[in-house]
């Protein structure tokens, strides 16, 4: 599966893209992070309305590309917030996600809400907070999206967080603690993947990494990419594929039932 | 040792504080993070000058309190920067630190530059970058300050980073990956402490944690403290003391030479 960042939905030709993906036989998902001017957790109804328009457009795009998954920071802005979230803002985000879920349902699209570290949202930093947020949204096509890079900062137990989400986990990012090559940092992927196997997770597992070599200056600056941990994206990607498919097979064996 | 945050040097009575610390027999160090308006890595000479004044005041305070260590983010602002650092800004920081080092030397004070994660500085995120920065400053009373919380995000190998710093490591913060109770997150303190023993580190090891229960709203917002992982600071501190002294003894045994 290839995940397309839909930060700029007008940036590509959807029909041409779909034809290419079908030609090479790869499935597609969409992701995005809202911005301070499209933040559905804002207290400002105009900003919330702008955010909902962006999200509906992204749902349409995913469906037009033949995908069924929209993930990422759909409930908040990808930004270091200057202060804590408010009840009113959180309520706005919950209401917006309910409306978006019903809209997405008409397109056969599921939403997975990415849990991010404290510097990239002030609203949902842990799986526990995410499950509470899902309870409040109360729509079956809204699930959680876990990312190992963020979990390494916020979760007390990465495996414990996976086990807690159970069948409400809809999407997974594997990223290293330093956002570079898998296995070049501090994350214990073995115990994370064993937990995924234990809950019978069968959804997407997508590798994510950032370098100014391929990421635009705006997103690089938001994410704080001040140094590059790789230059060649082909080598990075093929290594990630080998690393994670091998680690998944190990985890499958580790959690295999023998009796 | 008690580390005093000198973000607001006018906030306490130095003579009274020193008398209290001497009475209970505890040594003192000082720490601070510059702000965007006192950032010595700014390209604006007026801002750099303001930063140097703050730093000199902090050096004086540490000396007046009977301490010998000033640590923290002395080279940059404690903030999520909107863009990457510049050569000119870095040059300003190096020059400011040289002048400050010479000033601090007159007070018998050493400076330890804290390496922080990408969301809290754009200038020095790893020990490797820190050593290069020290080379450029070139003053013997300027060393590095490592913090396990930040290292968990940025370093490929926490133990490797310690080994690389060697005798240029001047100060250590132990903090958990989630900034709560030690041992309640993802950090491998055993291998970190073994590396400290291996290099013969004999400087301060100070526990750091944050909660809005005791940290002011400004600093809490800068640090993204959106949820509290503890309420009772006495219990947190006594647990941290037990945890780290026990772990240090284990690391001493692990690295003991038998022949």
């Amino acid at each position: 599966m290839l995940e397309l960042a839909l930060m700029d939905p007008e940036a590509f030709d959807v029909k041409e893209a779909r034809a290419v993906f079908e030609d090479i036989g790869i499935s597609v998902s969409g992701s995005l992070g809202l911005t301070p001017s499209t933040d559905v957790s804002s207290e400002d109804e105009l900003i919330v309305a702008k955010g909902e328009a962006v999200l509906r457009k992204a749902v349409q795009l995913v469906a037009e590309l033949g995908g069924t998954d929209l993930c990422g920071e759909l409930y908040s802005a990808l930004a270091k917030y200057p202060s804590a979230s408010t009840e009113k803002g959180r309520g706005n985000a919950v209401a917006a996600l309910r409306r978006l879920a019903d809209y997405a349902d008409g397109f056969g699209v599921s939403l997975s809400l990415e849990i991010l570290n404290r510097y990239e949202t002030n609203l949902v930093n842990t799986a526990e907070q995410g499950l509470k947020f899902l309870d409040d949204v109360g729509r079956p096509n809204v699930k959680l999206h876990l990312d190992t890079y963020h979990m390494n900062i916020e979760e007390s137990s990465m495996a414990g967080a996976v086990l807690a989400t159970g069948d409400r986990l809809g999407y997974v990012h594997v990223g290293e603690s330093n956002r570079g090559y898998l296995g070049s940092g501090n994350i214990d992927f073995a115990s994370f993947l064993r937990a995924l196997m234990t809950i019978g997770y069968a959804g997407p597992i997508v590798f994510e990494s950032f370098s100014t070599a391929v990421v635009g200056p705006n997103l690089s600056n938001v994410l704080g990419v001040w140094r590059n941990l790789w230059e060649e994206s082909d080598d990075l990607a093929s290594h990630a594929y080998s690393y994670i498919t091998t680690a998944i097979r190990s985890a499958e064996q580790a959690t295999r039932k023998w009796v």
Side-chain angles (χ1 to χ4, degrees), chain A:
Chain A
M1 171 184 278
L2 181 70
E3 178 185 313
L4 298 174
L6 304 177
M7 311 295 276
D8 183 2
E10 316 293 336
F12 61 96
D13 182 316
V14 177
K15 278 183 190 161
E16 196 180 310
R18 180 169 184 158
V20 170
F21 298 138
E22 284 180 348
D23 195 43
I24 55 176
I26 194 168
S27 62
V28 171
S29 66
S31 67
L32 68 82
L34 295 171
T35 67
S37 62
T38 59
D39 179 1
V40 295
S41 77
S42 169
E43 295 195 347
D44 180 332
E45 303 292 342
L46 281 174
I47 292 175
V48 174
K50 275 190 200 165
E52 290 197 57
V54 167
L55 291 167
R56 283 195 300 271
K57 176 75 183 164
V59 165
Q60 286 172 35
L61 265 173
V62 167
E64 284 169 23
L65 289 162
T68 56
D69 286 289
L70 177 64
C71 66
E73 191 167 2
L74 310 178
Y75 57 85
S76 171
L78 181 54
K80 167 65 180 68
Y81 277 82
S83 56
S85 60
T86 64
E87 273 308 304
K88 185 179 175 188
R90 188 177 186 283
N92 285 347
V94 167
L97 264 296
R98 274 185 199 151
R99 290 187 290 267
L100 185 72
D102 296 340
Y103 179 81
D105 197 41
F107 291 85
V109 169
S110 288
L111 310 174
S112 293
L113 310 183
E114 186 171 11
I115 294 163
L116 298 133
N117 75 62
R118 61 193 69 191
Y119 307 102
E120 299 190 14
T121 181
N122 62 357
L123 199 55
V124 182
N125 298 132
T126 64
E128 187 185 6
Q129 292 175 325
L131 289 169
K132 177 71 176 65
F133 193 86
L134 281 198
D135 284 343
D136 293 347
V137 173
R139 293 293 187 276
N141 63 333
V142 185
K143 300 203 167 188
L144 292 187
H145 167 183
L146 292 178
D147 179 318
T148 53
Y149 166 75
H150 298 291
M151 296 173 83
N152 177 56
I153 301 174
E154 301 293 349
E155 300 290 355
S156 289
S157 162
M158 291 178 57
V162 170
L163 298 177
T165 57
D167 61 4
R168 303 169 84 187
L169 181 60
Y171 205 93
V172 168
H173 274 170
V174 283
E176 191 44 272
S177 54
N178 55 17
R179 303 203 121 168
Y181 275 71
L182 290 181
S184 76
N186 300 312
I187 288 178
D188 176 5
F189 286 104
S191 64
F192 174 75
L193 291 169
R194 286 177 194 196
L196 285 185
M197 299 305 130
T198 300
I199 63 167
Y201 178 74
I205 298 178
V206 175
F207 172 60
E208 187 177 58
S209 183
F210 299 92
S211 161
T212 57
V214 298
V215 178
N218 277 355
L219 185 57
S220 291
N221 285 335
V222 168
L223 296 174
V225 184
W226 312 135
R227 66 197 159 99
N228 286 334
L229 290 158
W230 48 273
E231 295 85 31
E232 295 179 36
S233 44
D234 283 356
D235 186 63
L236 177 88
S238 65
H239 173 268
Y241 186 77
S242 300
Y243 184 98
I244 206 68
T245 50
T246 307
I248 288 171
R249 283 207 57 210
S250 299
E252 285 168 350
Q253 291 299 318
T255 54
R256 186 172 161 184
K257 296 218 187 317
W258 292 93
V259 289

